[in-house]
Amino acid sequence: MSLEFKPAWLFVPGDRPDRYTKAAERSDIVILDLEDAVNEADKVAARESIVDFPLDPTRTVVRVNSHDSGHLGEDLKMLARTEYTAVMLPKAELASDVSILSGFQVIALIETALGAVNVAEIAAAPNVYALMWGSEDLIADLGGGSSRKADGGYREVAKHVRSQTLLAARAHRKFALDSIWADIPNLEGLAAEAEDAVQSGFSGKVSIHPNHVPVVRDAFRPSDEQLTWARSMLDLAKTEKGAFSFEGKMIDAPLLKHAELIVARAN
């Protein structure tokens, strides 16, 4: 069964099956994490938990371990025992990294310098479903100390990779996921970043805490005023030819596309 895209994604450690159901209830899509959230000694138990406590495969992604971790083979054997068809591949660096996951919908995680350089090639891979970028792993790979400045904003190199990931995904008609917000209690900062993600063109945003999910949902959900404007404009467009005037503004193809996207976010 294929993954059905929705905007609010939530990580849950693969070795914490006690959290699976609650995560599924509180988010649009759950990411069962076998990589960073699970210690080396607990990866076997995490795989068994994923098999023993199944979730809806249309709303679940499994983040496997990276291609050079020594764990990916066992992760794939485990997935063969489940109905899951969507996987997140960390540290994707080449299109060939994705090709070994034939038969899966792949969310390629761009979080290294090489992955950032090759992001368009990765996005073009046929089985890539979406791209996500990872800020802190990226900075660690570059040899830096933090992806953010003292004011909370991203450093220039992080903003560059964020933009490149979005551009590559959209150029190849793939979904684009924004990185996590790590400052868990700062919901105001999260709301501002999620709003920027929406207006920039990201399809969704990934969270590491359940309290972040409603904030992300609010950002991606159009207001009643936006929805009324978009639907009214699209209804009028059915009877007009070429550009036309609506509420004092000249409406052309880009604005119609914007209206279509607003309506799509409401569904």
Side-chain angles (χ1 to χ4, degrees), residues 90-231:
K91 300 177 179 63
E93 296 184 320
L94 301 167
S96 58
D97 296 341
V98 178
S99 66
I100 63 175
L101 296 171
S102 177
F104 290 99
Q105 294 174 288
V106 179
I107 296 87
L109 188 45
I110 308 301
E111 52 186 349
T112 68
L114 185 57
V117 169
N118 293 324
V119 64
E121 173 190 329
I122 294 167
N127 61 328
V128 166
Y129 176 78
L131 296 181
M132 177 183 166
W133 77 288
S135 56
E136 294 310 319
D137 279 291
L138 170 69
I139 295 298
D141 186 64
L142 293 172
S146 173
S147 67
R148 296 185 186 268
K149 297 178 286 189
D151 63 2
Y154 281 120
R155 300 189 187 281
E156 291 304 314
V157 67
K159 289 195 287 187
H160 174 75
V161 174
R162 183 180 190 242
S163 297
Q164 284 296 99
T165 302
L166 173 60
L167 287 167
R170 290 314 203 187
H172 292 280
R173 301 294 187 264
K174 308 296 173 69
F175 295 110
L177 291 165
D178 199 19
S179 189
I180 65 152
W181 176 260
D183 188 359
I184 291 174
N186 184 5
L187 299 184
E188 184 176 341
L190 168 62
E193 186 164 285
E195 175 66 15
D196 179 76
V198 173
Q199 298 305 327
S200 296
F202 280 95
S203 318
K205 188 170 180 63
V206 179
S207 297
I208 56 172
H209 195 281
N211 288 347
H212 289 185
V213 172
V215 179
V216 171
R217 280 182 173 152
D218 284 345
F220 279 85
R221 183 185 301 114
S223 67
D224 291 341
E225 292 79 8
Q226 288 176 314
L227 200 53
T228 297
W229 171 83
R231 285 173 171 164

Side-chain angles (χ1 to χ4, degrees), residues 52-104:
D52 293 340
F53 297 90
L55 296 176
D56 180 355
T58 68
R59 296 182 53 240
T60 308
V61 173
V62 177
R63 178 159 76 168
V64 296
N65 289 279
S66 62
H67 63 92
D68 60 353
S69 66
H71 293 290
L72 182 56
E74 292 302 316
D75 294 345
L76 295 178
K77 290 179 184 177
M78 176 274 296
L79 284 167
R81 300 163 58 198
T82 74
E83 295 186 0
Y84 297 130
T85 59
V87 298
M88 178 177 284
L89 179 66
K91 300 177 179 63
E93 296 184 320
L94 301 167
S96 58
D97 296 341
V98 178
S99 66
I100 63 175
L101 296 171
S102 177
F104 290 99

